[in-house]
Amino acid sequence: MVSYQVWNASIFAYTISSHILIVTLTLGLSLLILISEFIALRYKNKYYEALAHKMSIALVINFAFGTASGVFMAVELFLFWPEFMRVVGDVAMGTFYAEVFAFLVESISLVTYVYFWDNFRNRWHHWLVSIGILLGTGASAALIVNVNAWMNTPTGSFNIPHYLETGKIIDVNPLKVFWEPSTFAQQFHMYAAEYLAGSMMILVYLAYKYMKTRDIEAKKVYMAGISILSVISIIDIIITGIAGSNELTTLMAVEPLKYASLEQNMVPTNYGAPEHIFGLIINGKEAYYINLPLAQSLLAYPLTLGHGAIPGLSSYPASSWSPSVSHDFLDLMVGAGVLIGLFWLYVVIQYFRKKNPMNDKKTLWATIVFGIIAVLTMEDGWWTAEVGRAPYVIRSPVPGGIIVNGVKYYGVMDISQATSYSPYVWTIGIAVIIFYLIIEPLMFYYMAKVLNIPDINSELNKADSEVNEKKVTGIKAGMR
Amino acid sequence: MDIYFYANTYFIKLVIATMVVFLGSEFMAIFPVFTNFKKHKETVERHIVPIWEITGTTIVVFVVELELIYSSLTPIASYLFIPLVGTFILLLVLRNVWIIYAEFIWKNKHNRVINSENFYKGYLIATFIMVILFLTAIVTLMYGKGIHLNLTDLSASYISYIPMLSTYNYWLFLLGTLFVAYGLSAVFYRTMKIESFVPLTTVIIGLILSVSGLYGVAIADKVPSGDIYLLIIPLILTLIIPVLYMNKRTTNIASYKPIFFILMVFAVFIIEAPVTYIAGGAFPISNFASANSMQAFNLYLSILGGIIFLGFMIMYAYVYANNPEKFGMEKPLKKETVTK
């Protein structure tokens, strides 16, 4: 029999994993539109103009599904995690509220951008609206990640010893949730990974369409998108590597227990910690791993040639360890990230050899494969972060655990305390599964349909007149 | 409770009023679309297409604001209203999907089933039911009929809708709202000639019915009798619209969207303002308030966010009005184009 905790946690993991696909695509599209329209106006290029317009419609569709999914998820939070949401409501709701205003900026900018495309006499003003979309979407993502950072390192937002003793919340500082010790590292990693995955997700579609279409003009539109997204991906994979490394270094300092779990370090060391690739913990011992001697210490302390403290699980009770699969998630994420990096390195080398790699069919197929891998890696990254926090929902504010009345707590709230024991969760959970199983394929299918360019010539004529300021009238705003 | 809490209670009521009016403006489109889609399509589309996303966002603002100001009420409300909330969310999803389909439908434009018209109708039916559910939830929460709330054991709490549905005040309010919506729809979407008495008559009938129902609900919810007389203000504000419409010189003002929105937001706000209890007066809403520091934070952030929102709405309105041919004040209907 599945317990309430396992059921609720699984359903919510499923929900976030599904919702995050929409978020990732939104971030990728908002950046693509901004750059594409900029190039279109700057160089009077009709292909980039047509691309920006098509992608903005995709963004509206994404927005429609995303809003519904977001509201669905918010309600699910209340129904599945009532005690957690009580604490969030009292302590950390400010960042959710700020997110609402970011969301408003996003929605008003998007509506203005798409539906009133033809209403701008100065097209650069129209382009400025795309900055509103980018800022709105970016700020929304960041403000939600704030809550996650607070869950990992809740320092100073309320009187935690008092809460652990009495269950009551006092001394609330609503501003603290905006900046916790883990916030910067999480934000940095999130932005880098999300824009990478979002860009590569769109690349999958564009690369496929580019190979499929026989129309030369349509190919040029798709290639415009491929060019922008390839450059973003190449820059972003480097930033993601740096952000990931920074995230692990931060974890080591502010969340040593999580770090030890993710790295599967059984004992703390000061020198010579190996890197264990994959593996499991069975009866308190590691098994089925590949050993790379010294690697972890060298990666963590390259300047001291591996001399420095590395946390280990033996410093903490086994009940506070996260499931060992979180370590496998981490290795999978790092491994896939390295592969994606190698792919883009190959593209760059080919480019400098003047091979025009993104015109090559094999490279385009590889782009599709690595695009899918990038999205899965982004999902895997979230599983790493979330499973790595288990069994806690809100961790201890002190890295090594907090002592209250002689008892040491490694977390402020664990899953069993946060979860709902209402019998409704079973039926709602099934509804959630069905909801996303229907809604997401439908969204992608519909988007693909709308993004088709059946009449490329009229699309490009309109784009041409837009960028060259020869306005065509009689076409419905936003729906040419 | 301090000044921040009181300021926030009015702020959330303003948010609710905005949400209701945005949603209501879409809700009213059901009448022209179902009477003559082809004729009114353009007029309805002109309003709905650029607004439906903002309506969805106002719903999100309301949910988050509620949780921020009344942190212990939201889990209770979610729990008590699970069937309504669940259906509301499902309809929100369908609404978004259908309007998007209606807007960007890519083929089969003349297909008898899959076409823009049917998607618009589906979207409007979903919006219509959402509004009915919302009104039902609000009246239930105020009236308290059938609410079994156990604050110490939430799993023992539930709502029985039978007592609520057998109350005439609920039906009076609901029916009255439909009449008002029908009358205002004719003005908002200009579906009737200006000489017609139908908008004014239906609004008057609707107001009589809904105010009677609301009066009963307000009495049950311990709204002070002195405050109940404030209902005269929304009553006048609602009546002004069809009256202005009937006068040739003021017809344009009556169906000018910004004026309509401002009048209606104010009217709804006045209706909500005196409500301080829930569940038929059993619980003062202040019992569910968040900590003082959160209230202060909320107020400052609301002011900041409100300014940003206002700034963006001004930009929106400016761009909206930038194309007089498409989005400016509409010309009054000529007699020959009147819906019969």
Side-chain angles (χ1 to χ4, degrees), chain B residues 207-325:
Chain B
L207 285 174
I208 292 169
L209 293 173
S210 59
V211 168
S212 321
L214 203 58
Y215 182 81
V217 175
I219 292 287
D221 198 31
K222 288 188 183 168
V223 173
S225 53
D227 289 345
I228 291 176
Y229 294 110
L230 284 175
L231 281 175
I232 194 80
I233 299 172
L235 207 133
I236 293 168
L237 290 173
T238 314
L239 267 177
I240 284 175
I241 294 167
V243 170
L244 288 177
Y245 186 69
M246 291 179 74
N247 187 324
K248 274 183 186 172
R249 281 177 298 179
T250 52
T251 301
N252 280 338
I253 297 171
S255 51
Y256 187 50
K257 311 291 188 269
I259 289 178
F260 181 92
F261 269 77
I262 290 166
L263 286 178
M264 285 296 101
V265 166
F266 192 57
V268 178
F269 177 76
I270 296 289
I271 294 171
E272 303 167 82
V275 178
T276 51
Y277 284 85
I278 59 163
F283 302 98
I285 201 157
S286 56
N287 279 9
F288 305 97
S290 308
N292 279 357
S293 53
M294 214 56 171
Q295 299 288 350
F297 172 77
N298 178 68
L299 185 65
Y300 291 127
L301 193 59
S302 297
I303 293 167
L304 182 68
I307 292 168
I308 295 171
F309 175 63
L310 197 65
F312 272 80
M313 280 311 283
I314 289 169
M315 175 198 77
Y316 174 84
Y318 175 76
V319 178
Y320 186 94
N322 211 18
N323 189 343
E325 193 186 331

Side-chain angles (χ1 to χ4, degrees), chain A residues 90 97 115 119 446 476 479, chain B residues 45 65 71 100 103 322:
Chain A
D90 282 337
Y97 189 43
Y115 296 117
N119 282 23
Y446 184 49
K476 196 176 163 193
M479 296 177 74
Chain B
E45 212 177 39
E65 179 80 9
S71 59
I100 275 287
E103 225 177 302
N322 211 18

Side-chain angles (χ1 to χ4, degrees), chain A residues 137-158:
Chain A
T137 51
S140 285
L143 289 160
I144 294 298
V145 171
N146 274 354
V147 182
N148 197 276
W150 167 78
M151 289 158 73
N152 288 326
T153 49
T155 58
S157 49
F158 65 116

Side-chain angles (χ1 to χ4, degrees), chain A residues 64 71-72 85 89-90 93-94 97 100 107 109 111 115-116 119 121 172 435 439 446 449 475-476 479, chain B residues 11 45 49-50 53 57 61 65 67-68 71 89 93 96 100-101 103 106 293 297-298 302 312 319 322 326:
Chain A
V71 176
F72 196 85
M85 284 311 285
D90 282 337
M93 205 61 195
Y97 189 43
V100 163
S107 66
S109 303
V111 164
Y115 296 117
F116 304 136
N119 282 23
R121 290 193 183 94
V172 175
F435 172 76
I439 207 84
Y446 184 49
K449 279 285 182 190
I475 296 169
K476 196 176 163 193
M479 296 177 74
Chain B
F11 187 80
E45 212 177 39
V49 165
E53 285 137 314
T57 312
V61 177
E65 179 80 9
E67 168 65 0
L68 195 60
S71 59
I89 298 296
V93 174
N96 282 12
I100 275 287
Y101 270 51
E103 225 177 302
W106 67 92
S293 53
F297 172 77
N298 178 68
S302 297
F312 272 80
V319 178
N322 211 18
K326 284 182 173 146

